[in-house]
Amino acid sequence: MKNNTRVFRLVLTAFFLAILLLFSFVPFLGFIPLGPINATTMHIPVIIASIILGPKVGGFLGGCFGLISMIRSTIIVTPMSFVFSPFIAPIGAEHGSPLALLVAFVPRILIGIVPYFVFRGLSRFLKEKYQPVTLFLAGLIGGLTNTILVMNAIYFFFQKEYASIIGKAGNAVYLAINTIILTQGIPEAIVAGIATATVASVLLKFTKRTGL
């Protein structure tokens, strides 16, 4: 049984990693251009994996998401590439910043950790019949974790550079950050919540039925 469980986890981990790679290679699937920052669906398989396979695997896949984001920003250069890649310099600068690694990796790793504990925590207080609600909330919070942390990291680490790109200054910069969180981050989080409630519920039933 232990061997079956180990094999199942490896197969499922590989499956989620394959989805991440598919999303990253297919145009407008994993990264969707909507202004200075791309919208994304890459966080969805990470969130689901976190709930099904636990925070270690979720954190690993979140790190893979961060690595994909860094590589993509290095190869496909845009005015905002410097935010996610230390190899790309901001406009007017000679070198990139290692702080880009924090933006690329830390929020994405946390995407694979936070939903697990949200789901487990809510499951302690809500009955099993409310599982779709707990899954939705875990997915929603996982999605918000990505957008809120990424956008705030951009503000604190690259405020001047970001301000020059969007043509704003002072308090207007943080207002622009919050606007992206509201207009882009919330829809992303809702989609993540719906996808998590739909897919994770099926996978949880399967693992419970098979004893894996």
Side-chain angles (χ1 to χ4, degrees), residues 17 20-21 24 31 42 46 59-75 84-87 100-101 103-106 108-109:
L17 181 56
L20 284 178
L21 293 173
S24 65
F31 297 94
M42 296 279 287
V46 177
F60 164 74
L61 291 171
C64 292
F65 174 15
L67 180 62
I68 291 170
S69 178
M70 185 194 74
I71 293 173
R72 186 177 186 277
S73 295
T74 304
I75 297 174
F84 300 106
S85 173
F87 306 107
L101 294 174
V103 183
F105 281 93
V106 174
R108 277 63 186 274
I109 291 173

Side-chain angles (χ1 to χ4, degrees), residues 22-148:
L22 175 66
F23 280 14
S24 65
F25 286 131
V26 177
F28 305 103
L29 183 58
F31 297 94
I32 307 166
L34 290 176
I37 297 292
N38 290 330
T40 185
T41 57
M42 296 279 287
H43 58 301
I44 295 175
V46 177
I47 292 170
I48 296 172
S50 171
I51 294 170
I52 303 300
L53 299 173
K56 290 183 180 179
V57 174
F60 164 74
L61 291 171
C64 292
F65 174 15
L67 180 62
I68 291 170
S69 178
M70 185 194 74
I71 293 173
R72 186 177 186 277
S73 295
T74 304
I75 297 174
I76 305 174
V77 179
T78 69
M80 289 296 295
S81 287
F82 69 90
V83 167
F84 300 106
S85 173
F87 306 107
I88 304 298
I91 297 175
E94 295 183 1
H95 305 287
S97 171
L99 292 174
L101 294 174
L102 297 179
V103 183
F105 281 93
V106 174
R108 277 63 186 274
I109 291 173
L110 289 175
I111 295 173
I113 297 174
V114 171
Y116 173 84
F117 290 103
V118 171
F119 174 68
R120 296 300 173 185
L122 290 175
S123 296
R124 292 182 179 180
F125 300 101
L126 297 176
K127 297 180 180 179
E128 188 173 351
K129 68 177 181 179
Y130 295 111
Q131 186 180 82
V133 176
T134 59
L135 288 171
F136 173 80
L137 292 175
L140 181 77
I141 294 173
L144 289 175
T145 297
N146 178 51
T147 306
I148 291 174

